[in-house]
mmCIF file of all heavy atoms in Angstrom:
data_model
loop_
_atom_site.group_PDB
_atom_site.id
_atom_site.type_symbol
_atom_site.label_atom_id
_atom_site.label_comp_id
_atom_site.label_asym_id
_atom_site.label_seq_id
_atom_site.Cartn_x
_atom_site.Cartn_y
_atom_site.Cartn_z
ATOM 1 N N TYR Q 954 -28.377 208.601 132.756
ATOM 2 C CA TYR Q 954 -28.657 209.764 131.917
ATOM 3 C C TYR Q 954 -28.759 209.257 130.478
ATOM 4 O O TYR Q 954 -27.800 208.704 129.945
ATOM 5 C CB TYR Q 954 -27.552 210.806 132.034
ATOM 6 C CG TYR Q 954 -27.444 211.399 133.417
ATOM 7 C CD1 TYR Q 954 -26.385 211.078 134.258
ATOM 8 C CD2 TYR Q 954 -28.414 212.276 133.882
ATOM 9 C CE1 TYR Q 954 -26.285 211.619 135.528
ATOM 10 C CE2 TYR Q 954 -28.330 212.819 135.166
ATOM 11 C CZ TYR Q 954 -27.257 212.488 135.975
ATOM 12 O OH TYR Q 954 -27.180 213.027 137.228
ATOM 13 N N PRO Q 955 -29.913 209.429 129.824
ATOM 14 C CA PRO Q 955 -30.064 208.876 128.468
ATOM 15 C C PRO Q 955 -29.239 209.643 127.441
ATOM 16 O O PRO Q 955 -28.770 210.756 127.694
ATOM 17 C CB PRO Q 955 -31.563 209.045 128.194
ATOM 18 C CG PRO Q 955 -31.959 210.220 129.025
ATOM 19 C CD PRO Q 955 -31.121 210.132 130.284
ATOM 20 N N ARG Q 956 -29.074 209.039 126.302
ATOM 21 C CA ARG Q 956 -28.379 209.708 125.208
ATOM 22 C C ARG Q 956 -29.205 210.906 124.744
ATOM 23 O O ARG Q 956 -30.431 210.788 124.593
ATOM 24 C CB ARG Q 956 -28.192 208.752 124.028
ATOM 25 C CG ARG Q 956 -27.453 207.483 124.384
ATOM 26 C CD ARG Q 956 -27.310 206.576 123.170
ATOM 27 N NE ARG Q 956 -26.842 205.255 123.573
ATOM 28 C CZ ARG Q 956 -25.578 204.959 123.817
ATOM 29 N NH1 ARG Q 956 -24.662 205.901 123.711
ATOM 30 N NH2 ARG Q 956 -25.220 203.744 124.179
ATOM 31 N N PRO Q 957 -28.575 212.055 124.517
ATOM 32 C CA PRO Q 957 -29.334 213.189 123.986
ATOM 33 C C PRO Q 957 -29.873 212.855 122.601
ATOM 34 O O PRO Q 957 -29.198 212.219 121.789
ATOM 35 C CB PRO Q 957 -28.303 214.326 123.933
ATOM 36 C CG PRO Q 957 -26.984 213.653 123.947
ATOM 37 C CD PRO Q 957 -27.153 212.385 124.714
ATOM 38 N N ARG Q 958 -31.090 213.295 122.331
ATOM 39 C CA ARG Q 958 -31.714 213.052 121.030
ATOM 40 C C ARG Q 958 -31.326 214.176 120.072
ATOM 41 O O ARG Q 958 -31.532 215.350 120.375
ATOM 42 C CB ARG Q 958 -33.224 212.968 121.181
ATOM 43 C CG ARG Q 958 -33.708 211.812 122.055
ATOM 44 C CD ARG Q 958 -35.170 211.952 122.406
ATOM 45 N NE ARG Q 958 -35.399 213.176 123.191
ATOM 46 C CZ ARG Q 958 -36.607 213.614 123.565
ATOM 47 N NH1 ARG Q 958 -37.686 212.932 123.211
ATOM 48 N NH2 ARG Q 958 -36.718 214.710 124.268
ATOM 49 N N VAL Q 959 -30.791 213.790 118.933
ATOM 50 C CA VAL Q 959 -30.334 214.754 117.930
ATOM 51 C C VAL Q 959 -31.105 214.511 116.637
ATOM 52 O O VAL Q 959 -31.084 213.402 116.100
ATOM 53 C CB VAL Q 959 -28.820 214.631 117.673
ATOM 54 C CG1 VAL Q 959 -28.388 215.587 116.563
ATOM 55 C CG2 VAL Q 959 -28.038 214.909 118.950
ATOM 56 N N SER Q 960 -31.778 215.549 116.144
ATOM 57 C CA SER Q 960 -32.476 215.473 114.858
ATOM 58 C C SER Q 960 -31.603 216.109 113.788
ATOM 59 O O SER Q 960 -31.074 217.205 113.977
ATOM 60 C CB SER Q 960 -33.822 216.197 114.929
ATOM 61 O OG SER Q 960 -34.734 215.496 115.738
ATOM 62 N N VAL Q 961 -31.436 215.411 112.656
ATOM 63 C CA VAL Q 961 -30.590 215.886 111.564
ATOM 64 C C VAL Q 961 -31.454 216.116 110.325
ATOM 65 O O VAL Q 961 -32.153 215.207 109.860
ATOM 66 C CB VAL Q 961 -29.472 214.876 111.243
ATOM 67 C CG1 VAL Q 961 -28.637 215.367 110.063
ATOM 68 C CG2 VAL Q 961 -28.586 214.659 112.469
ATOM 69 N N ILE Q 962 -31.391 217.343 109.802
ATOM 70 C CA ILE Q 962 -32.188 217.754 108.645
ATOM 71 C C ILE Q 962 -31.250 218.212 107.535
ATOM 72 O O ILE Q 962 -30.309 218.967 107.786
ATOM 73 C CB ILE Q 962 -33.136 218.912 109.026
ATOM 74 C CG1 ILE Q 962 -34.117 218.474 110.129
ATOM 75 C CG2 ILE Q 962 -33.881 219.439 107.803
ATOM 76 C CD1 ILE Q 962 -34.894 219.630 110.739
ATOM 77 N N SER Q 963 -31.504 217.756 106.312
ATOM 78 C CA SER Q 963 -30.794 218.263 105.134
ATOM 79 C C SER Q 963 -31.713 219.223 104.397
ATOM 80 O O SER Q 963 -32.827 218.855 104.015
ATOM 81 C CB SER Q 963 -30.393 217.120 104.195
ATOM 82 O OG SER Q 963 -29.168 216.548 104.562
ATOM 83 N N LEU Q 964 -31.241 220.427 104.173
ATOM 84 C CA LEU Q 964 -32.056 221.465 103.562
ATOM 85 C C LEU Q 964 -31.580 221.708 102.132
ATOM 86 O O LEU Q 964 -30.393 221.944 101.891
ATOM 87 C CB LEU Q 964 -31.945 222.755 104.387
ATOM 88 C CG LEU Q 964 -32.778 223.948 103.954
ATOM 89 C CD1 LEU Q 964 -34.264 223.621 104.040
ATOM 90 C CD2 LEU Q 964 -32.455 225.168 104.816
ATOM 91 N N GLY Q 965 -32.501 221.652 101.162
ATOM 92 C CA GLY Q 965 -32.110 221.966 99.789
ATOM 93 C C GLY Q 965 -33.041 221.357 98.762
ATOM 94 O O GLY Q 965 -33.368 220.168 98.839
ATOM 95 N N ASP Q 966 -33.467 222.170 97.803
ATOM 96 C CA ASP Q 966 -34.349 221.679 96.736
ATOM 97 C C ASP Q 966 -33.589 220.849 95.711
ATOM 98 O O ASP Q 966 -34.200 220.157 94.888
ATOM 99 C CB ASP Q 966 -35.025 222.869 96.046
ATOM 100 C CG ASP Q 966 -35.950 223.626 96.988
ATOM 101 O OD1 ASP Q 966 -36.555 222.973 97.864
ATOM 102 O OD2 ASP Q 966 -36.058 224.860 96.850
ATOM 103 N N GLU Q 967 -32.255 220.914 95.735
ATOM 104 C CA GLU Q 967 -31.450 220.170 94.767
ATOM 105 C C GLU Q 967 -31.147 218.751 95.233
ATOM 106 O O GLU Q 967 -30.528 217.967 94.501
ATOM 107 C CB GLU Q 967 -30.126 220.910 94.505
ATOM 108 C CG GLU Q 967 -29.075 220.770 95.603
ATOM 109 C CD GLU Q 967 -29.315 221.644 96.836
ATOM 110 O OE1 GLU Q 967 -30.417 222.219 96.942
ATOM 111 O OE2 GLU Q 967 -28.408 221.729 97.684
ATOM 112 N N LEU Q 968 -31.592 218.388 96.429
ATOM 113 C CA LEU Q 968 -31.219 217.102 97.019
ATOM 114 C C LEU Q 968 -32.203 216.000 96.661
ATOM 115 O O LEU Q 968 -33.423 216.225 96.585
ATOM 116 C CB LEU Q 968 -31.137 217.231 98.538
ATOM 117 C CG LEU Q 968 -30.171 218.283 99.089
ATOM 118 C CD1 LEU Q 968 -30.267 218.341 100.607
ATOM 119 C CD2 LEU Q 968 -28.740 217.998 98.644
ATOM 120 N N VAL Q 969 -31.668 214.798 96.451
ATOM 121 C CA VAL Q 969 -32.491 213.601 96.314
ATOM 122 C C VAL Q 969 -31.912 212.527 97.220
ATOM 123 O O VAL Q 969 -30.712 212.516 97.507
ATOM 124 C CB VAL Q 969 -32.542 213.091 94.850
ATOM 125 C CG1 VAL Q 969 -33.215 214.098 93.943
ATOM 126 C CG2 VAL Q 969 -31.149 212.748 94.339
ATOM 127 N N ASP Q 970 -32.784 211.626 97.669
ATOM 128 C CA ASP Q 970 -32.307 210.548 98.531
ATOM 129 C C ASP Q 970 -31.527 209.529 97.705
ATOM 130 O O ASP Q 970 -31.641 209.474 96.470
ATOM 131 C CB ASP Q 970 -33.484 209.876 99.246
ATOM 132 C CG ASP Q 970 -33.093 209.344 100.616
ATOM 133 O OD1 ASP Q 970 -31.876 209.174 100.856
ATOM 134 O OD2 ASP Q 970 -33.990 209.103 101.438
ATOM 135 N N ILE Q 971 -30.749 208.715 98.387
ATOM 136 C CA ILE Q 971 -29.807 207.833 97.699
ATOM 137 C C ILE Q 971 -30.485 206.671 96.981
ATOM 138 O O ILE Q 971 -29.830 205.968 96.209
ATOM 139 C CB ILE Q 971 -28.751 207.287 98.683
ATOM 140 C CG1 ILE Q 971 -29.419 206.565 99.864
ATOM 141 C CG2 ILE Q 971 -27.863 208.408 99.183
ATOM 142 C CD1 ILE Q 971 -28.429 205.943 100.823
ATOM 143 N N ASP Q 972 -31.782 206.462 97.194
ATOM 144 C CA ASP Q 972 -32.475 205.392 96.473
ATOM 145 C C ASP Q 972 -33.082 205.888 95.163
ATOM 146 O O ASP Q 972 -33.792 205.142 94.478
ATOM 147 C CB ASP Q 972 -33.542 204.743 97.351
ATOM 148 C CG ASP Q 972 -34.588 205.728 97.842
ATOM 149 O OD1 ASP Q 972 -34.444 206.948 97.567
ATOM 150 O OD2 ASP Q 972 -35.546 205.292 98.503
ATOM 151 N N ARG Q 973 -32.800 207.157 94.805
ATOM 152 C CA ARG Q 973 -33.282 207.726 93.551
ATOM 153 C C ARG Q 973 -32.101 208.152 92.686
ATOM 154 O O ARG Q 973 -31.002 208.367 93.180
ATOM 155 C CB ARG Q 973 -34.187 208.935 93.811
ATOM 156 C CG ARG Q 973 -35.477 208.607 94.552
ATOM 157 C CD ARG Q 973 -36.273 209.876 94.799
ATOM 158 N NE ARG Q 973 -36.501 210.610 93.549
ATOM 159 C CZ ARG Q 973 -36.944 211.868 93.498
ATOM 160 N NH1 ARG Q 973 -37.162 212.532 94.630
ATOM 161 N NH2 ARG Q 973 -37.137 212.457 92.332
ATOM 162 N N THR Q 974 -32.351 208.291 91.395
ATOM 163 C CA THR Q 974 -31.311 208.746 90.475
ATOM 164 C C THR Q 974 -31.389 210.257 90.339
ATOM 165 O O THR Q 974 -32.455 210.785 89.998
ATOM 166 C CB THR Q 974 -31.477 208.095 89.096
ATOM 167 O OG1 THR Q 974 -31.415 206.678 89.248
ATOM 168 C CG2 THR Q 974 -30.382 208.571 88.140
ATOM 169 N N PRO Q 975 -30.294 210.965 90.604
ATOM 170 C CA PRO Q 975 -30.342 212.428 90.494
ATOM 171 C C PRO Q 975 -30.627 212.866 89.054
ATOM 172 O O PRO Q 975 -30.112 212.301 88.094
ATOM 173 C CB PRO Q 975 -28.933 212.861 90.918
ATOM 174 C CG PRO Q 975 -28.373 211.710 91.679
ATOM 175 C CD PRO Q 975 -28.988 210.495 91.062
ATOM 176 N N GLY Q 976 -31.483 213.901 88.923
ATOM 177 C CA GLY Q 976 -31.735 214.499 87.625
ATOM 178 C C GLY Q 976 -30.755 215.617 87.362
ATOM 179 O O GLY Q 976 -29.787 215.823 88.115
ATOM 180 N N GLN Q 977 -31.013 216.368 86.311
ATOM 181 C CA GLN Q 977 -30.155 217.487 85.962
ATOM 182 C C GLN Q 977 -30.120 218.493 87.108
ATOM 183 O O GLN Q 977 -31.160 218.958 87.569
ATOM 184 C CB GLN Q 977 -30.674 218.171 84.692
ATOM 185 C CG GLN Q 977 -29.822 219.318 84.206
ATOM 186 C CD GLN Q 977 -28.457 218.859 83.716
ATOM 187 O OE1 GLN Q 977 -28.316 217.746 83.215
ATOM 188 N NE2 GLN Q 977 -27.451 219.703 83.862
ATOM 189 N N GLY Q 978 -28.906 218.812 87.594
ATOM 190 C CA GLY Q 978 -28.763 219.801 88.659
ATOM 191 C C GLY Q 978 -29.038 219.271 90.051
ATOM 192 O O GLY Q 978 -29.009 220.034 91.022
ATOM 193 N N GLN Q 979 -29.301 217.971 90.176
ATOM 194 C CA GLN Q 979 -29.596 217.382 91.492
ATOM 195 C C GLN Q 979 -28.383 216.607 92.006
ATOM 196 O O GLN Q 979 -27.558 216.118 91.226
ATOM 197 C CB GLN Q 979 -30.811 216.459 91.417
ATOM 198 C CG GLN Q 979 -32.119 217.173 91.133
ATOM 199 C CD GLN Q 979 -33.286 216.212 91.149
ATOM 200 O OE1 GLN Q 979 -33.225 215.111 90.593
ATOM 201 N NE2 GLN Q 979 -34.382 216.628 91.787
ATOM 202 N N VAL Q 980 -28.303 216.475 93.329
ATOM 203 C CA VAL Q 980 -27.220 215.712 93.967
ATOM 204 C C VAL Q 980 -27.814 214.863 95.085
ATOM 205 O O VAL Q 980 -28.894 215.153 95.605
ATOM 206 C CB VAL Q 980 -26.125 216.638 94.544
ATOM 207 C CG1 VAL Q 980 -25.424 217.403 93.439
ATOM 208 C CG2 VAL Q 980 -26.711 217.603 95.578
ATOM 209 N N TYR Q 981 -27.072 213.830 95.433
ATOM 210 C CA TYR Q 981 -27.521 212.986 96.529
ATOM 211 C C TYR Q 981 -27.452 213.744 97.863
ATOM 212 O O TYR Q 981 -26.581 214.597 98.072
ATOM 213 C CB TYR Q 981 -26.638 211.738 96.646
ATOM 214 C CG TYR Q 981 -26.899 210.687 95.589
ATOM 215 C CD1 TYR Q 981 -25.867 210.219 94.783
ATOM 216 C CD2 TYR Q 981 -28.169 210.147 95.426
ATOM 217 C CE1 TYR Q 981 -26.093 209.240 93.827
ATOM 218 C CE2 TYR Q 981 -28.408 209.168 94.472
ATOM 219 C CZ TYR Q 981 -27.370 208.723 93.677
ATOM 220 O OH TYR Q 981 -27.607 207.762 92.734
ATOM 221 N N ASP Q 982 -28.373 213.393 98.747
ATOM 222 C CA ASP Q 982 -28.318 213.914 100.125
ATOM 223 C C ASP Q 982 -27.228 213.169 100.878
ATOM 224 O O ASP Q 982 -27.405 212.030 101.292
ATOM 225 C CB ASP Q 982 -29.675 213.721 100.808
ATOM 226 C CG ASP Q 982 -29.609 213.952 102.312
ATOM 227 O OD1 ASP Q 982 -28.738 214.738 102.746
ATOM 228 O OD2 ASP Q 982 -30.417 213.347 103.042
ATOM 229 N N VAL Q 983 -26.109 213.808 101.038
ATOM 230 C CA VAL Q 983 -24.988 213.233 101.773
ATOM 231 C C VAL Q 983 -25.055 213.610 103.249
ATOM 232 O O VAL Q 983 -24.786 212.798 104.143
ATOM 233 C CB VAL Q 983 -23.642 213.703 101.167
ATOM 234 C CG1 VAL Q 983 -22.467 213.261 102.032
ATOM 235 C CG2 VAL Q 983 -23.494 213.194 99.746
ATOM 236 N N ASN Q 984 -25.439 214.856 103.511
ATOM 237 C CA ASN Q 984 -25.294 215.401 104.865
ATOM 238 C C ASN Q 984 -26.109 214.676 105.928
ATOM 239 O O ASN Q 984 -25.610 214.425 107.028
ATOM 240 C CB ASN Q 984 -25.658 216.884 104.867
ATOM 241 C CG ASN Q 984 -24.545 217.754 104.340
ATOM 242 O OD1 ASN Q 984 -23.368 217.459 104.550
ATOM 243 N ND2 ASN Q 984 -24.889 218.823 103.643
ATOM 244 N N SER Q 985 -27.370 214.341 105.613
ATOM 245 C CA SER Q 985 -28.182 213.736 106.674
ATOM 246 C C SER Q 985 -27.620 212.380 107.089
ATOM 247 O O SER Q 985 -27.678 212.001 108.264
ATOM 248 C CB SER Q 985 -29.647 213.617 106.251
ATOM 249 O OG SER Q 985 -29.831 212.606 105.280
ATOM 250 N N TYR Q 986 -27.037 211.641 106.126
ATOM 251 C CA TYR Q 986 -26.447 210.342 106.455
ATOM 252 C C TYR Q 986 -25.126 210.517 107.210
ATOM 253 O O TYR Q 986 -24.886 209.856 108.233
ATOM 254 C CB TYR Q 986 -26.226 209.523 105.184
ATOM 255 C CG TYR Q 986 -27.496 209.009 104.567
ATOM 256 C CD1 TYR Q 986 -28.119 209.714 103.544
ATOM 257 C CD2 TYR Q 986 -28.098 207.842 105.026
ATOM 258 C CE1 TYR Q 986 -29.303 209.255 102.976
ATOM 259 C CE2 TYR Q 986 -29.275 207.367 104.474
ATOM 260 C CZ TYR Q 986 -29.878 208.080 103.450
ATOM 261 O OH TYR Q 986 -31.055 207.625 102.901
ATOM 262 N N ALA Q 987 -24.270 211.406 106.695
ATOM 263 C CA ALA Q 987 -22.954 211.589 107.317
ATOM 264 C C ALA Q 987 -23.078 212.182 108.712
ATOM 265 O O ALA Q 987 -22.416 211.739 109.661
ATOM 266 C CB ALA Q 987 -22.087 212.490 106.437
ATOM 267 N N LEU Q 988 -23.935 213.188 108.872
ATOM 268 C CA LEU Q 988 -24.068 213.841 110.175
ATOM 269 C C LEU Q 988 -24.784 212.943 111.178
ATOM 270 O O LEU Q 988 -24.488 212.991 112.380
ATOM 271 C CB LEU Q 988 -24.802 215.173 110.020
ATOM 272 C CG LEU Q 988 -24.068 216.211 109.165
ATOM 273 C CD1 LEU Q 988 -24.951 217.442 108.955
ATOM 274 C CD2 LEU Q 988 -22.744 216.612 109.807
#
């Protein structure tokens, strides 16, 4: 029985990926990596 496939989505206009520098009011996308 194969491993179930799980897709993880982070929703939010305030999010930036960790390879970018957050601007005013922006935060790193933590959830997609942690989940």
Side-chain angles (χ1 to χ4, degrees):
Y954 295 108
R956 303 180 191 279
R958 297 168 298 175
V959 176
S960 290
V961 178
I962 299 169
S963 274
L964 183 62
D966 295 327
E967 77 282 11
L968 303 177
V969 296
D970 211 341
I971 56 177
D972 59 356
R973 296 178 54 193
T974 301
Q977 182 67 31
Q979 293 183 316
V980 295
Y981 285 125
D982 167 28
V983 173
N984 281 325
S985 72
Y986 288 95
L988 296 174

